[in-house]
Amino acid sequence: MIKTDIVIIGAGPVGLFTVFEAGLLKLKSHLIDSLPQAGGQCSEIYPKKPIYDIPGFPTILAGELVKNLMEQAAPFKPGFTLGEAALSIEKTKDNLFVVKTEKGTAHEAPIVIIAGGLGVFEPRKPPIQDLAKFEDNGIEYIIKDPEFYRNKRCVIAGGGDSALDWAFFLVDEKIAKKVTLVHRSSSFRGHLDSVQKIINLSEEKKIDLITEAEVVNIQGNEKLESVILEHQTNGLQTIETDHFIPLFGLKPSLGPIANWGLEIEKNAIVVNPKDYSTNIPGIYAVGDVNTYENKLKLILCGFHEGTMAVQSAFARIH
């Protein structure tokens, strides 16, 4: 049995920063994560993705952010159970929680903070015939290393921050030979600044921006050779490309956490924004895994939520 003050489920950026905030209050933390290394999506999915909204860093790579957060948490000697998903939680007669993983590792603490990000996730895939045939042969749903696209022709589809940021990065850093950004609408869901950057690149003829269109078919033999767009007004268009990267986000699932008796709304844990406590006293949820009125899914907001949850946890423990 691993005993600690706070069990943190999820070792992504928000979970790691929560360790630091707990340490400032002399509270020991132990993190559980299903991934084999700390860092969550930032390490596993897009370690080379630039992040632009971390205070004090005009831009920082996701992997570098994780490295810095690990260094920040290190003085407080957190424990880690990695490569094991949290499976169950039980409350003891002494008002303690016992969290067990799929491999049977048991953790005991008076406080549990769920920082599970999007939980268990898989990419949202466009409904295109023969899509699976070209997966890893020209179609990728996640950009892990931008150098993979050095001097290649890339078609990125999507209208959110991930599509905008990667399209900008591949052009601005002169990595891709050609970048085409396709979005089915004329308006974007991403930050206005990111949208303006893409518009500027389009006006400078550095990127092909195609709106009110979507990829409806793909072509190739052993590898992807081209994609076919359908415009809302101009019919079909074929674009030769080496890579098609649909960045439509992730389909999240809470996994076993959904069965712990927590109040769930639209696949997220409902919390009180005063301290990010759940309907079960002693259990908190911070970061992308929670929901409340006016919720913003930003790492910055997750840092704030972790800080407030730890303050509340300290008062509860003492």
Side-chain angles (χ1 to χ4, degrees):
M1 179 82 72
I2 298 171
K3 297 185 178 182
T4 188
D5 295 319
I6 302 176
V7 168
I8 300 174
I9 299 173
V14 173
L16 292 174
F17 187 71
T18 301
V19 170
F20 170 75
E21 288 294 330
L24 294 178
L25 297 178
K26 303 296 184 183
L27 297 176
K28 297 288 291 182
S29 300
H30 190 98
L31 299 100
I32 303 172
D33 202 298
S34 60
L35 296 175
Q37 74 282 325
Q41 295 179 49
C42 286
S43 293
E44 179 71 8
I45 299 178
Y46 45 78
K48 300 294 185 179
K49 182 181 185 296
I51 300 175
Y52 299 104
D53 56 1
I54 302 299
F57 293 92
T59 179
I60 185 170
L61 297 181
E64 187 69 18
L65 175 63
V66 170
K67 177 176 176 290
N68 290 351
L69 288 166
M70 288 287 285
E71 290 179 2
Q72 190 175 29
F76 302 111
K77 298 179 173 58
F80 290 90
T81 298
L82 300 175
E84 300 183 30
L87 189 63
S88 65
I89 187 168
E90 297 179 359
K91 198 167 187 179
T92 71
K93 293 182 294 184
D94 301 321
N95 264 347
L96 299 173
F97 294 101
V98 176
V99 180
K100 291 184 179 179
T101 70
E102 58 190 349
K103 295 183 179 179
T105 308
H107 312 74
E108 184 183 78
I111 299 292
V112 173
I113 298 180
I114 302 171
L118 294 174
V120 181
F121 50 84
E122 61 180 28
R124 289 189 172 93
K125 302 180 181 181
I128 298 174
Q129 189 175 358
D130 294 330
L131 196 69
K133 174 183 175 182
F134 295 101
E135 289 175 352
D136 297 325
N137 284 309
I139 293 180
E140 298 85 35
Y141 306 107
I142 295 164
I143 296 179
K144 289 188 176 183
D145 184 359
E147 283 298 323
F148 182 68
Y149 303 95
R150 174 71 65 181
N151 297 322
K152 299 295 180 63
R153 299 166 300 176
C154 301
V155 173
I156 296 176
D161 285 317
S162 187
L164 292 166
D165 289 347
W166 274 123
F168 175 78
F169 187 81
L170 291 177
V171 173
D172 191 58
E173 297 293 323
K174 297 179 174 59
I175 293 174
K177 181 179 180 180
K178 179 182 179 182
V179 174
T180 302
L181 178 62
V182 180
H183 184 38
R184 61 187 175 186
S185 171
S186 57
S187 59
F188 292 83
R189 302 185 309 276
H191 291 305
L192 294 179
D193 181 66
S194 299
V195 175
Q196 189 59 52
K197 286 178 179 177
I198 294 297
I199 292 174
N200 292 344
L201 289 176
S202 176
E203 291 175 349
E204 295 166 6
K205 308 296 184 184
K206 294 180 179 179
I207 189 172
D208 286 348
L209 176 61
I210 303 175
T211 59
E212 299 184 341
E214 57 184 321
V215 177
V216 295
N217 208 345
I218 50 180
Q219 295 177 327
N221 292 315
E222 293 184 1
K223 287 191 173 185
L224 179 72
E225 295 174 5
S226 62
V227 298
I228 298 175
L229 306 186
E230 183 175 8
H231 295 260
Q232 294 179 15
T233 56
N234 299 327
L236 301 177
Q237 175 188 0
T238 299
I239 299 177
E240 293 183 356
T241 188
D242 302 302
H243 296 277
F244 172 46
I245 313 164
L247 297 176
F248 296 151
L250 303 169
K251 287 192 294 184
S253 169
L254 288 175
I257 293 175
N259 302 316
W260 289 0
L262 298 163
E263 184 181 352
I264 306 295
E265 181 180 293
K266 294 182 178 179
N267 208 49
I269 301 170
V270 177
V271 295
N272 181 347
K274 177 183 177 181
D275 60 0
Y276 307 99
S277 55
T278 70
N279 59 303
I280 300 178
I283 300 181
Y284 301 79
V286 299
D288 287 357
V289 76
N290 75 16
T291 186
Y292 53 91
E293 188 177 1
N294 297 323
K295 166 71 178 181
L296 288 176
K297 291 192 175 184
L298 300 174
I299 293 176
L300 171 65
C301 296
F303 290 165
H304 161 78
E305 294 165 10
T307 302
M308 298 303 292
V310 164
Q311 293 287 330
S312 177
F314 178 86
R316 182 175 179 81
I317 290 173
H318 295 290

